Each structure stands twice: as C-alpha cells, then as structure tokens.
Amino acid sequence: MAESSALLSDPSIFDRRAQAVTRGICRLFARNDIWALSEMPLRNGRRADIMGIDPKGRIVIVEIKTARGDLLGDGKWPDYLDFCDRFYWGLPPELDRACLEGADFRPDCCGVIVADEYDAEIVRPAPTHPLAAARRKAEVERLARTALRRLTVGFDPECGGWGRVAG
C-alpha cells in the first residue's frame, strides 16, 4: 500500500520506471541486433517511446506503459501501426499481466515485452504487418537522420540548430 501512495504522490516514479523499461528493452534489442532510439517523433505528431530497425530492415515500435490504467486507457496506440512492421507494448514486471491475458486488453496485432532496467523478455511476439516499401524507406531514412543528428549534437551541442528541418 505504501508503494501505491508513493506512486500517487511522486509522478517522477513513473518516469524512472519508464526509463528502466526502456533501458531493458534496448539491451534486449541490442543483443538481437535491433538498434533503436527512444523518443522518436513520427510524422503524425505522435512520439514512439522506442523505434528501431532489425537486421532485415523492419521497423519496430515499442509503446511503454507503467500503469494498468494507462495501458487500458490508451486509445492512441493504433496511430503507431502505420509507422512500423511490428508493434510491442513494453511493461515493467510489476504491472499486472492479468489485463493482458483477460478480456480487458488483448489486441492480437501487438506483442508484449516485460522489462526492468537490466533486461527484458518478449512474452508475446508481435506479428509482422509489413509496411509498403516506400513508407519503410522514408521511415528508415528519418530514423537514421534523427540518430545522426542526436549523435552530432551530443558531440558538439553548438551545431544543434544548423540546417535543422522539423520532422
């Protein structure tokens, strides 16, 4: 009970849990040669918590949820499907998995990854829904340019605004 009252009084706990889940998923992905960015903006105005590319050039998006209510109340997740070949929910281990197994929540077009800050496990593989080749090419290029921009700005913060185009 003390944990739930702490969660209500300290919203930064949700941020720390989301960061831990992100780290674990990125470690899982790296071991499987899937390279990803967090906080990737999409052309429809949404932001993917994690977006990556697997060895076959397929795009993977993970939407992270750290509370059952947030997971069940998320109506925007279908907006991500036009930008990836596979879509996963990323969840912390303490999130009640019963909502994923019951009638409350079970979209068959989504996979599930459970993660903590050290590791992750795919508990339900995501089915592949192939993007059109032109869309995949455009999204891979956007992902690569965003990654390179972040790398460059990380190395030299003063060059961050040069030639920057939104999107």
Side-chain angles (χ1 to χ4, degrees):
M1 190 59 115
E3 181 180 324
S4 63
S5 62
L7 289 175
L8 294 174
S9 63
D10 184 3
S12 67
I13 289 174
F14 288 114
D15 293 338
R16 288 194 301 269
R17 288 169 65 197
Q19 288 172 353
V21 171
T22 299
R23 182 177 189 230
I25 291 171
C26 286
R27 285 177 163 207
L28 169 72
F29 280 2
R31 282 195 315 273
N32 290 283
D33 200 22
I34 300 170
W35 299 100
L37 286 179
S38 61
E39 306 292 327
M40 178 64 188
L42 303 176
R43 288 188 178 168
N44 64 359
R46 299 285 187 212
R47 177 200 37 81
D49 291 329
I50 301 173
M51 186 174 190
I53 303 172
D54 75 8
K56 295 182 179 179
R58 294 176 297 204
I59 298 174
V60 179
I61 288 181
V62 180
E63 176 70 2
I64 294 173
K65 297 296 179 187
T66 58
R68 186 175 192 269
D70 190 23
L71 175 67
L72 296 177
D74 186 338
K76 69 183 185 319
W77 68 269
D79 296 347
Y80 297 103
L81 300 178
D82 289 338
F83 297 91
C84 62
D85 297 290
R86 289 182 292 154
F87 179 84
Y88 286 95
W89 293 104
L91 310 173
E94 64 272 11
L95 186 62
D96 179 13
R97 287 195 213 169
C99 63
L100 296 171
E101 301 304 327
D104 288 345
F105 182 83
R106 192 170 170 80
D108 291 331
C109 62
C110 306
V112 177
I113 301 172
V114 175
D116 62 19
E117 66 185 300
Y118 301 106
D119 204 358
E121 176 185 3
I122 295 173
V123 296
R124 186 171 74 206
T128 300
H129 300 283
L131 289 174
R135 168 61 67 95
R136 182 178 299 104
K137 179 179 185 284
E139 293 307 316
V140 167
E141 288 175 357
R142 285 184 62 255
L143 188 58
R145 290 181 56 78
T146 300
L148 291 168
R149 181 172 52 243
R150 289 182 188 178
L151 183 63
T152 301
V153 171
F155 178 72
D156 184 0
E158 292 179 19
C159 74
W162 299 344
R164 181 153 187 207
V165 177

